[in-house]
Amino acid sequence: MVNSKVILSVLFFVFGVSAFLPAQQAKSLPNFQLFITPSLGYRGGNMGEYVFTQDGTGTSTSKAPEGYKQLSLIDWKVNSIPVAGLSAKIRYKRLFLQADVDIGLPYKCGVMEDYDWISSAGYQTHFSHHNNSVTDFYELSTSLGWLFTFLDNSLEVAPFVGFAWNNLAFLARDGYIQYASSANGTIEPWKPEIPKVYMQGKLVTYQQELYALDIGSNITFHGTDTLSFGLDFAVQPIFVLYAFDTHFAREQDFLDIVTFTAKIKTALTLLYNFTDSYSLALSLEGSFLPLSYGSSFTKLSSEPEFIPSGAKGGASHWFLGFNIGFRFNLFR
């Protein structure tokens, strides 16, 4: 992964240099503008899949809801996903409508590690390690906002409200498992020296699909005629998040339904304007969904309907990314 601290340092360095460049002339706002920005980039991060129980089995941890213990964690490590994006923004006077879509390309992107604590004593009993590939990675948002300008139009503040949909899915395959043996009906503690049993083929899929409001603001500073800087920040209150996984060897499906949570997104963008018609756009962005809890359901893969599992599910994720794109101003 590209070092995000290096990228951030470069952006702030350029921002500092711009302070010594000739200031831009104040410009009036056109009545109508249409911006189209195609981009390419990457995402790296993590998705977490949790199971919590109240039957006394599991390990005590601060991540568990009150009265629960953590039974399982599936840790989906994402090193790098190639992403193609497209943004379109229409502005009439100060009212604007914007749509953004990012699509990740199917790609082997990291590893998945599975941990189980199937013990009333709280010790770990199982571990497995597998290759992780992204199968679906879609982020879509639409928003409506209003533009405020200050300092002779050098500073723009644009609050917005809209809707967001994400569909993020991964597949674990191959790798190995290390399961502790049982003695007198009790599973022994897991140890690193337990022999590895190697696996082949599809093992587990995991998907997070969410529907949310998108509430935030964009702040843009036009430092010179050629350099502009943007900061985006949004909070996405989630209507519902569906976390779905399939375990092929067990032929079993699980579904967690999460509500009453929110996701945070932010981006820092540098625009270099070659002309009034097109610009180079470099952006560093991040998103964060804190560990959120929901009702858990299960079924055999051959069955049509889910039933309550008696456990509580948890879902989380975070991603950092870098994009390079070109912004076209079709009506100047």
Side-chain angles (χ1 to χ4, degrees), residues 47-69:
M47 288 179 65
E49 176 185 1
Y50 300 79
V51 179
F52 304 98
T53 63
Q54 286 183 303
D55 63 5
T57 304
T59 183
S60 298
T61 170
S62 60
K63 293 181 179 180
E66 185 176 354
Y68 286 79
K69 289 185 176 182

Side-chain angles (χ1 to χ4, degrees), residues 15 18 30 36 41 68 142 156 183 187 203 206 210 213 216 220 235 253 273 280 292 332:
F15 179 80
S18 70
I36 302 293
Y68 286 79
T142 60
E156 299 177 357
I187 303 177
L203 298 172
Y206 182 58
L210 66 84
L213 287 175
T220 301
V235 176
D253 300 335
N273 306 308
L280 173 68
S292 305
R332 301 186 300 279

Side-chain angles (χ1 to χ4, degrees), residues 144-167:
L144 185 69
W146 189 265
L147 177 65
F148 298 91
T149 58
F150 307 92
L151 305 176
D152 293 327
N153 295 332
S154 293
L155 179 64
E156 299 177 357
V157 179
F160 59 82
V161 61
F163 173 80
W165 172 75
N166 293 177
N167 185 28

Side-chain angles (χ1 to χ4, degrees), residues 22-224:
Q24 70 165 11
Q25 299 295 319
K27 296 180 180 180
S28 60
L29 288 173
N31 283 333
F32 181 82
Q33 286 182 301
L34 172 60
F35 299 101
I36 302 293
T37 310
S39 64
L40 292 174
Y42 83 96
R43 300 289 185 276
N46 177 275
M47 288 179 65
E49 176 185 1
Y50 300 79
V51 179
F52 304 98
T53 63
Q54 286 183 303
D55 63 5
T57 304
T59 183
S60 298
T61 170
S62 60
K63 293 181 179 180
E66 185 176 354
Y68 286 79
K69 289 185 176 182
Q70 183 172 327
L71 181 69
S72 174
L73 165 64
I74 302 184
D75 189 20
W76 299 83
K77 302 177 188 294
V78 181
N79 293 333
S80 183
I81 300 173
V83 174
L86 182 65
S87 175
K89 184 176 183 179
I90 301 173
R91 187 181 62 78
Y92 176 70
K93 294 186 176 179
R94 295 184 178 273
L95 180 68
F96 67 87
L97 175 66
Q98 183 165 337
D100 300 279
V101 60
D102 290 309
I103 300 176
L105 306 180
Y107 189 71
K108 181 180 176 181
C109 61
V111 299
M112 181 273 265
E113 293 180 332
D114 188 357
Y115 305 82
D116 292 325
W117 294 267
I118 308 176
S119 164
S120 58
Y123 53 75
Q124 183 181 340
T125 56
H126 299 79
F127 174 76
S128 65
H129 177 99
H130 312 282
N131 295 326
N132 178 24
S133 299
V134 59
T135 57
D136 295 291
F137 194 96
Y138 300 101
E139 294 182 325
L140 172 68
S141 65
T142 60
S143 58
L144 185 69
W146 189 265
L147 177 65
F148 298 91
T149 58
F150 307 92
L151 305 176
D152 293 327
N153 295 332
S154 293
L155 179 64
E156 299 177 357
V157 179
F160 59 82
V161 61
F163 173 80
W165 172 75
N166 293 177
N167 185 28
L168 316 175
F170 295 85
L171 166 67
R173 60 183 305 143
D174 305 330
Y176 63 86
I177 61 175
Q178 288 180 299
Y179 289 179
S181 59
S182 299
N184 300 321
T186 300
I187 303 177
E188 297 179 351
W190 175 85
K191 297 178 181 179
E193 57 268 21
I194 291 176
K196 298 175 181 178
V197 178
Y198 287 89
M199 314 287 287
Q200 287 187 336
K202 297 180 180 180
L203 298 172
V204 182
T205 62
Y206 182 58
Q207 174 187 10
Q208 290 183 1
E209 182 178 15
L210 66 84
Y211 300 83
L213 287 175
D214 192 23
I215 304 171
S217 183
N218 166 263
I219 301 173
T220 301
F221 175 68
H222 302 287
T224 72

